[in-house]
Amino acid sequence: MRHSRPRLFLWKINRGKGRRAGDKGGIAVTEQSDCRGEFPVEVSEKEYVQAALLASRRYGSLRSAPAVLFIGVALLVVGLLGVTMSRTLWAVSLLLCILGPLMVILFFIAEPAAVRRGARRDYPVFQELMAEGRLLLYPDHAQTVTGLAVLTDPYALMVFCIETPELLVFVKDRERVLILPKRCIPPEQKDGVLEFLRLTFIRKRKVQRT
């Protein structure tokens, strides 16, 4: 059961063609006076994989989990009814009894495993792109500055924000998210930054406790 999954790259860049953060003609860094927070961001592989799963549950292949569960239960119920009510359809009913639970098991085990494998495979490229990365938060956009490029992301174009006790994951589309581990926010900025982001995404924020 294959579906598209989020590839957690902050942007798509051709090697050798991306503008460096200090090059002329690049994207100018916004005036510091408007900055609501600035700090280095380093995402671990574990956090990257967790963000991939969160994004996939909300916007990717794992989003269809309720539908798969409903279909699996429906097949099981139909199969059980067929076994008890019709001897002529016994073989077909038995097949449905097996197929329904098997489909659910494969989806809830195999699909998350595929998302994890893909995230681990993509992580080295993400880590290279994000080397020495800093995140700057402004009233209407976030700016990611690395040794390779500067990326500006307006909050209005982000689909939603997923918050867990450890992470903030800003989903931009099916292939791009912005990952902010809360541990990266300096203690003196943490309360102000979290309050600012929660208010900014008040209608788009999805809170997940685990």
Side-chain angles (χ1 to χ4, degrees):
M1 191 175 300
R2 306 300 304 158
H3 303 277
S4 61
R5 58 178 175 79
R7 296 172 63 86
L8 306 190
F9 295 161
L10 287 177
W11 62 87
K12 296 179 180 178
I13 185 170
N14 294 323
R15 295 179 183 271
K17 295 183 181 180
R19 289 172 175 161
R20 302 185 70 84
D23 289 350
K24 293 181 179 180
I27 304 174
V29 178
T30 309
E31 291 295 329
Q32 292 291 331
S33 59
D34 293 334
C35 188
R36 301 298 178 89
E38 177 184 357
F39 39 85
V41 174
E42 183 179 353
V43 180
S44 68
E45 180 177 335
K46 180 180 178 180
E47 291 166 338
Y48 188 83
V49 172
Q50 183 182 358
L53 288 169
L54 290 169
S56 185
R57 289 184 187 123
R58 293 286 182 176
Y59 205 58
S61 59
L62 297 179
R63 187 180 182 182
S64 57
V68 172
L69 181 61
F70 175 80
I71 293 172
V73 172
L75 290 175
L76 178 61
V77 170
V78 171
L80 290 173
L81 289 174
V83 168
T84 57
M85 296 178 63
S86 176
R87 293 185 178 182
T88 57
L89 298 176
W90 186 87
V92 175
S93 300
L94 182 60
L95 180 62
L96 292 177
C97 289
I98 297 172
L99 183 61
L102 182 62
M103 182 178 68
V104 173
I105 292 171
L106 287 177
F107 181 85
F108 282 94
I109 295 178
E111 194 62 26
V115 173
R116 291 188 187 95
R117 284 195 303 272
R120 293 190 184 102
R121 184 176 62 248
D122 293 342
Y123 179 72
V125 178
F126 172 86
Q127 190 177 37
E128 181 181 345
L129 292 175
M130 279 295 295
E132 301 179 1
R134 295 185 67 82
L135 182 64
L136 296 89
L137 300 172
Y138 296 100
D140 60 354
H141 69 278
Q143 202 163 57
T144 306
V145 182
T146 75
L148 289 174
V150 176
L151 180 69
T152 300
D153 292 301
Y155 303 135
L157 298 183
M158 295 181 180
V159 180
F160 50 77
C161 165
I162 306 170
E163 180 177 359
T164 73
E166 298 83 23
L167 293 175
L168 286 164
V169 181
F170 304 92
V171 179
K172 293 178 274 189
D173 57 38
R174 289 184 180 276
E175 293 190 351
R176 296 185 303 162
V177 303
L178 177 63
I179 306 168
L180 172 56
K182 291 182 179 179
R183 61 175 175 78
C184 294
I185 308 174
E188 66 274 11
Q189 298 184 45
K190 192 166 187 177
D191 289 343
V193 166
L194 291 178
E195 182 181 3
F196 164 69
L197 291 173
R198 286 165 181 165
L199 287 173
T200 300
F201 289 91
I202 191 168
R203 296 182 180 276
K204 298 181 180 180
R205 188 168 65 100
K206 314 290 184 181
V207 179
Q208 190 158 324
R209 300 300 178 186
T210 58

